[in-house]
Amino acid sequence: MPNAARRSERSRQAILESALALLHESGYADLTIEAIAARAGVGKQTIYRWWSGRGAVVLDALVEQAGASEPPPLPDTGDLEADLRPVIRAIVAELADPRLSATTRALTVEALTSETFAEQVRDRLLRPQLGTIVARLRSAREAGDLRADADLDQAVELLIGPMYHRWMLRTGPLTEAYADGLLDLALAALGAGQVAPGGGTARSIR
Amino acid sequence: MPNAARRSERSRQAILESALALLHESGYADLTIEAIAARAGVGKQTIYRWWSGRGAVVLDALVEQAGASEPPPLPDTGDLEADLRPVIRAIVAELADPRLSATTRALTVEALTSETFAEQVRDRLLRPQLGTIVARLRSAREAGDLRADADLDQAVELLIGPMYHRWMLRTGPLTEAYADGLLDLALAALGAGQVAPGGGTARSIR
DNA sequence: ATGTCAAGACGAGACGTAGCGTCTCGTTAT
DNA sequence: ATAACGAGACGCTACGTCTCGTCTTGACAT
């Protein structure tokens, strides 16, 4: 049980920076603890003392990077689809770029390997990142643009689940047009843009 | 380049069976080429001669297993949601069970690691398995239960993407209720959007 | 405030282990 | 005959633990 008060801040930062640099340069397969230690000018033990493995290092690095700049809330122009479109496009564009999505690839592999790691990714990275979308959806729901009983977490999942699936299994192109189409579909599911003449939303099929 | 005509069928089957058995017993992390070879009573070279790695072995094993019994087409009662519900429930149930989803976990990790492997999984396993759903959706589209311009591949992705995402990152429970709710949402997105004058069931989001 | 000092984190790297992928061996099957 | 086969040796890489001196830090004494 190491003493956190005596921890070397210099080493900590060097390790996190080296991990991200190596990940972008060589990919997750070549990201080893020994390579991180060598690049950071640090003993292996210093890494093992504070982290459980390479996945934990990468996660910490990304959390720190994200936490440095608090993400601004999405604009609320009253047009939900227009407000979300650039965000969805940006996520799709990031996934389409192998270099940019290297970190996501790494975290996903690790999440599939360890249950507790998946929970860490979810709580420390995914939830904060998607928080701005959830907030915008909430305001839309209050404005009556979404069904009153819409589950916001499930709504976000409906939006990003398909694109992650397409990214992982390469079931189709990750283009701007795809992003727009997916957003359109997801909002249709959530009852957005429905002008109900008589009162209730018109969304019944059978 | 080995001569496929002289290949040992006995060894081939022993390898595929051992791989699946070990995967279910110990998980993907402990699934090594050496363990497969030992269990199958086979030399390591016999595996490397015919497969590129453990991922390829698992994929072949699953393709063979799936190909043994051609999946029957889904029933077409005219009620799309009722016809799809048991399928979606079954997929969710499989993901909820760590033992049953061990193979999916393995394939996903491998797909994230290799582009060509992802394409193999998509073409040889995923597409055939989801084919029955696509067929049922096609018939629904022709019957006017779906938007005439609905993209069927994207429709399937909208259905299974969110549950894979939930499974990987543990963003929520994988229950029957979740399966039903997701199906409801996805069909709302794809629906013709017409008001059922008499007795259409209201779609709840959850 | 400033000096002293033990505790412990540090960089470096040796160590044993596991599994990789390649390479021989005889042996066996075609 | 020939080539795949079972078996396993081989060198390699990275793992995670450990043992060195060295350096830093916080606590205490002056």
Side-chain angles (χ1 to χ4, degrees):
Chain A
M1 201 156 290
N3 182 346
R6 307 187 62 164
R7 182 172 186 179
S8 163
E9 176 63 17
R10 161 185 294 276
S11 298
R12 193 188 126 269
Q13 282 183 13
I15 290 165
L16 297 181
E17 284 167 17
S18 300
L20 285 189
L22 287 169
L23 185 56
H24 285 125
E25 287 167 14
S26 325
Y28 197 52
D30 291 343
L31 183 71
T32 67
I33 295 287
E34 304 208 326
I36 297 173
R39 179 171 187 133
V42 141
K44 292 200 299 177
Q45 191 65 258
T46 302
I47 298 180
Y48 283 113
R49 187 178 294 117
W50 302 108
W51 288 279
S52 61
R54 59 177 186 166
V57 176
V58 173
L59 176 58
D60 266 17
L62 291 174
V63 167
E64 182 137 325
Q65 194 179 57
S69 60
E70 190 85 356
L74 295 186
D76 188 345
T77 66
D79 183 344
L80 175 62
E81 183 161 3
D83 290 346
L84 287 181
R85 191 176 294 120
V87 185
I88 304 304
R89 283 184 178 179
I91 301 178
V92 167
E94 183 178 319
L95 293 179
D97 184 330
R99 254 189 78 256
L100 293 179
S101 57
T103 52
T104 303
R105 192 185 322 279
L107 291 179
T108 308
V109 168
E110 219 65 37
L112 282 164
T113 303
S114 155
E115 187 166 337
T116 64
F117 190 86
E119 288 159 6
Q120 295 269 320
V121 173
R122 181 239 287 153
D123 295 337
R124 299 180 55 203
L125 205 63
L126 191 68
R127 241 204 284 265
Q129 278 183 4
L130 298 180
T132 61
I133 297 180
V134 171
R136 182 61 187 86
L137 287 175
R138 179 173 296 117
S139 114
R141 190 177 59 183
E142 285 164 7
D145 292 336
L146 255 51
R147 330 185 107 236
D149 61 347
D151 179 324
L152 299 182
D153 288 325
Q154 190 175 23
V156 175
E157 221 167 65
L158 188 72
L159 207 41
I160 69 169
M163 64 198 215
Y164 269 80
H165 189 267
R166 173 170 290 217
W167 167 64
M168 287 189 296
L169 293 171
R170 309 187 119 79
T171 48
L174 288 167
T175 61
E176 222 167 60
Y178 167 70
D180 294 351
L182 175 60
L183 177 58
D184 188 58
L185 262 185
L187 291 187
L190 298 165
Q194 295 297 316
V195 185
T201 40
R203 177 82 17 225
S204 191
I205 291 185
R206 296 173 38 221
Chain B
M1 201 150 287
N3 181 346
R6 307 186 63 163
R7 182 173 184 178
S8 163
E9 177 62 17
R10 161 184 294 277
S11 297
R12 193 188 126 270
Q13 282 184 14
I15 289 165
L16 296 181
E17 284 168 16
S18 300
L20 285 189
L22 286 169
L23 184 57
H24 286 124
E25 287 167 15
S26 325
Y28 197 51
D30 292 342
L31 182 70
T32 67
I33 295 286
E34 304 210 326
I36 297 173
R39 179 171 187 134
V42 140
K44 290 200 298 177
Q45 189 68 325
T46 302
I47 298 180
Y48 284 112
R49 187 178 294 117
W50 303 107
W51 288 278
S52 61
R54 60 179 185 164
V57 175
V58 173
L59 177 57
D60 265 18
L62 291 174
V63 168
E64 182 138 325
Q65 189 180 280
S69 59
E70 189 83 358
L74 295 187
D76 186 346
T77 66
D79 183 344
L80 177 61
E81 183 162 4
D83 290 347
L84 287 181
R85 193 177 292 120
V87 186
I88 304 303
R89 284 184 177 179
I91 300 178
V92 167
E94 184 178 318
L95 292 179
D97 183 330
R99 255 189 76 258
L100 291 179
S101 58
T103 53
T104 302
R105 191 182 324 278
L107 292 180
T108 307
V109 169
E110 217 67 37
L112 283 165
T113 303
S114 156
E115 187 166 339
T116 64
F117 191 85
E119 289 161 4
Q120 296 268 320
V121 173
R122 179 238 287 154
D123 295 337
R124 298 179 57 200
L125 205 64
L126 192 69
R127 240 203 286 265
Q129 278 182 5
L130 299 179
T132 61
I133 296 180
V134 172
R136 182 62 188 83
L137 287 174
R138 181 173 294 117
S139 115
R141 190 176 58 183
E142 286 163 7
D145 291 336
L146 293 187
R147 290 196 329 212
D149 62 343
D151 179 325
L152 299 182
D153 287 325
Q154 190 175 23
V156 176
E157 223 167 63
L158 188 72
L159 207 41
I160 68 171
M163 62 198 217
Y164 269 80
H165 189 268
R166 174 169 291 216
W167 167 65
M168 287 189 297
L169 292 173
R170 308 187 120 81
T171 48
L174 288 166
T175 61
E176 221 166 60
Y178 167 69
D180 294 351
L182 175 60
L183 176 58
D184 192 56
L185 261 186
L187 291 186
L190 301 163
Q194 268 144 24
V195 189
T201 39
R203 297 198 173 278
S204 82
I205 292 179
R206 172 132 155 248

